[in-house]
Amino acid sequence: MTDFAGKTGLIVGVANKRSIAWAIAQATASRGARLALTYQGRFEENVQELSVGLPHPPLVLPCDVSSDDEIAAVFRRVEEELGGLDFLLHGAAFARREELSAPFVETTREGFRLALDISAYSLIALARGAAPLMEKRGGGSIVTLTYLGSERVFPNYNVMGVAKAALEANVRYLAADLGPKNIRVNAVSAGPIKTISAMGIGGFSSILGVYRDRAPLRRNVDTTEVGEAAAFLLSDASRGITGDVLMVDAGFHVTGI
Ligand code: NAD
């Protein structure tokens, strides 16, 4: 169903083996995709080590998504080495630790700017870079990663909830903008998973417990489940779907009390 033979993809947001983006790299590479992986400075060694385990050796490039120059350099290299692009996975997000533990009303102007820039604006910048390379292939698929905190209040998620609301609006506007070029834009909304980013959220472990107790499937999800769902949205099997948010949270979002 999700065949990636002959396809090329750019994966942004691998920090270590627990990263959701890494599960998506594995899900697509194991089905034949040739990948470029980017890393944020301090994660270079991790990403280089992980990349050795993929079936086709990926291109590994630095990219701080708050830098337009680094983003431009990534797309130059991808064009040189891969020729074009069939899919893009955006899995970068950041908020300062203070912003994820202090009362929401204490959110600083700089903390707000940083969270929205790295976690939401970066999808627009990456989509703009990817679009010409996808047009060369007759279209493409872009997927980002979001969380239910965009719509509902979760303790300490704070400014990241606002960033995810902006990110999901970006998905809809980009889908409308790029749809005529046969470029689709969707999000996967994952349930809580213990990753480096998640551990920065005060009281995160108790959120995992609430999902286990209340989600229809009475459990949490893991990165492979999110990876498979994202691979579906990145593949031609989902060619009629754009501007959407696919929930992969063991059904938690349907519960009332
Ligand atoms: P992670 O820490 O493994 O990944 C976050 C990534 O963002 C890291 O690779 C980090 O390097 C990158 N990043 C941060 N600032 C960056 C910058 N300036 N430039 C480039 N990259 C930068 O954690 P994860 O949980 O796999 O997060 C991936 C995505 O999934 C995020 O958007 C996160 O909000 C989302 N998500 C996570 C959960 C969860 O519970 N873990 C749930 C729903 C959605």
Side-chain angles (χ1 to χ4, degrees), residues 13-15 19-20 40 43 63-65 91-94 118 145-147 164 190-193 195-198 204:
V14 179
S19 295
I20 297 172
Q40 180 194 15
F43 297 118
C63 185
D64 186 316
V65 297
F94 177 77
I118 295 171
L145 297 168
T146 188
Y147 181 59
K164 292 303 191 192
I193 300 173
T195 60
I196 304 183
S197 296
F204 179 77

Side-chain angles (χ1 to χ4, degrees), residues 12-16 18-22 38-43 63-67 90-94 118-119 144-148 157 160 164 167 188-198 201 204 208 223:
V12 176
V14 179
N16 63 14
R18 291 169 188 264
S19 295
I20 297 172
W22 174 240
T38 69
Y39 60 84
Q40 180 194 15
R42 65 197 168 112
F43 297 118
C63 185
D64 186 316
V65 297
S66 62
S67 161
H90 170 268
F94 177 77
I118 295 171
S119 317
T144 187
L145 297 168
T146 188
Y147 181 59
L148 187 59
Y157 202 61
M160 191 52 78
K164 292 303 191 192
L167 181 70
V188 171
S189 184
I193 300 173
K194 260 191 190 179
T195 60
I196 304 183
S197 296
I201 300 160
F204 179 77
L208 285 174
T223 59

